[in-house]
């Protein structure tokens, strides 16, 4: 996808000033932007590259059994829009069940995680600033279809070094698995 940028003249007291205007982006879920990860499929709908780093958006469709451990993003906020199913979130000290139609905000610096509490869940996540979507494109594998796996396998301990290295790059700290 090519990126177009328009330079706009800003009128006012500094009439010679210009700003770069991002071009609109229209995208949708496809196999080209979808990865198998964590018991489901993650489709990166808008990447940091698409939004000048301002934010990223992805759709996740997951089955229970391989949700993330408690973790903290030191430089990014996440908002989860639960579209189908039910998810249980732990954000800081608060536990909340989030059925379809719920929105959960996990601010930067606050440990959080979630569990899928239905047969599957579909959510849209907005991350600001963008960049964390690299986690899925790096640690996931290219999806060949949108089907959910029959059996969800836990993460292998062999994956931990790659996760820790990428976590340092993305300023995300994995704390520990938790039951809630």
């Amino acid at each position: 996808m090519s990126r177009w940028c328009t330079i706009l003249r800003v009128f006012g007291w500094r009439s010679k000033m210009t700003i770069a205007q991002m071009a609109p982006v229209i995208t949708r879920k496809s196999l080209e932007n979808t990865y198998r990860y964590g018991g489901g499929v993650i489709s990166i709908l808008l990447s940091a590259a698409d939004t000048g780093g301002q934010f990223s958006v992805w759709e996740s469709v997951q089955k229970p059994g391989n949700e993330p451990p408690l973790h903290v993003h030191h430089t990014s906020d996440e908002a989860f829009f639960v579209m189908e199913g039910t998810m249980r979130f732990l954000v800081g000290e608060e536990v909340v069940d989030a059925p379809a139609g719920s929105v959960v905000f996990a601010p930067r610096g606050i440990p959080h995680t979630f569990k899928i509490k239905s047969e599957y869940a579909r959510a849209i996540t907005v991350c600001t600033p963008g960049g964390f979507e690299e986690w899925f494109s790096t640690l996931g594998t290219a999806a060949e279809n949108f089907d959910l796996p029959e059996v969800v396998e836990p993460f292998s301990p062999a994956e931990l070094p790659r996760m820790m290295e990428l976590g340092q790059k993305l300023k995300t700290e994995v704390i520990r698995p938790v039951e809630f």
Side-chain angles (χ1 to χ4, degrees):
M1 179 183 305
S2 66
R3 306 295 324 139
W4 291 89
C5 184
T6 304
I7 303 298
L8 299 175
R9 180 162 291 322
V10 179
F11 296 98
W13 67 277
R14 288 189 177 186
S15 62
K16 295 186 189 286
M17 190 170 132
T18 60
I19 60 171
Q21 172 69 44
M22 290 294 298
V25 177
I26 299 172
T27 149
R28 64 188 179 109
K29 177 178 174 173
S30 73
L31 289 177
E32 293 167 354
N33 63 9
T34 300
Y35 300 88
R36 294 223 163 270
Y37 180 82
V41 289
I42 310 291
S43 300
I44 299 170
L45 303 174
L46 288 171
S47 68
D50 295 326
T51 66
Q54 296 299 303
F55 63 96
S56 54
V57 179
W58 59 85
E59 178 193 63
S60 58
V61 183
Q62 295 174 273
K63 291 173 82 171
N66 199 359
E67 296 92 337
L70 187 66
H71 62 283
V72 60
H73 302 281
H74 293 289
T75 58
S76 59
D77 302 312
E78 285 182 302
F80 301 87
F81 300 84
V82 181
M83 307 300 287
E84 294 180 52
T86 299
M87 300 171 72
R88 176 173 291 155
F89 286 86
L90 171 63
V91 181
E93 300 293 320
E94 189 171 349
V95 175
V96 61
D97 285 327
S102 301
V103 178
V104 176
F105 178 58
R108 67 188 72 196
I110 305 295
H112 63 281
T113 187
F114 61 83
K115 299 284 184 192
I116 308 297
K117 301 308 281 183
S118 50
E119 183 179 334
Y120 75 95
R122 183 170 72 94
I124 302 290
T125 303
V126 176
C127 186
T128 181
F132 187 74
E133 71 279 5
E134 183 179 341
W135 185 270
F136 308 113
S137 62
T138 299
L139 297 176
T141 57
E144 295 176 7
N145 58 53
F146 298 113
D147 298 337
L148 293 176
E150 290 293 322
V151 177
V152 175
E153 297 291 332
F155 289 110
S156 161
E159 296 174 279
L160 194 56
R162 282 182 64 207
M163 290 175 154
M164 299 301 280
E165 182 180 335
L166 186 57
Q168 286 180 340
K169 177 183 177 187
L170 299 176
K171 310 257 188 295
T172 297
E173 179 182 355
V174 174
I175 299 172
R176 68 181 179 284
V178 293
E179 290 303 320
F180 62 100

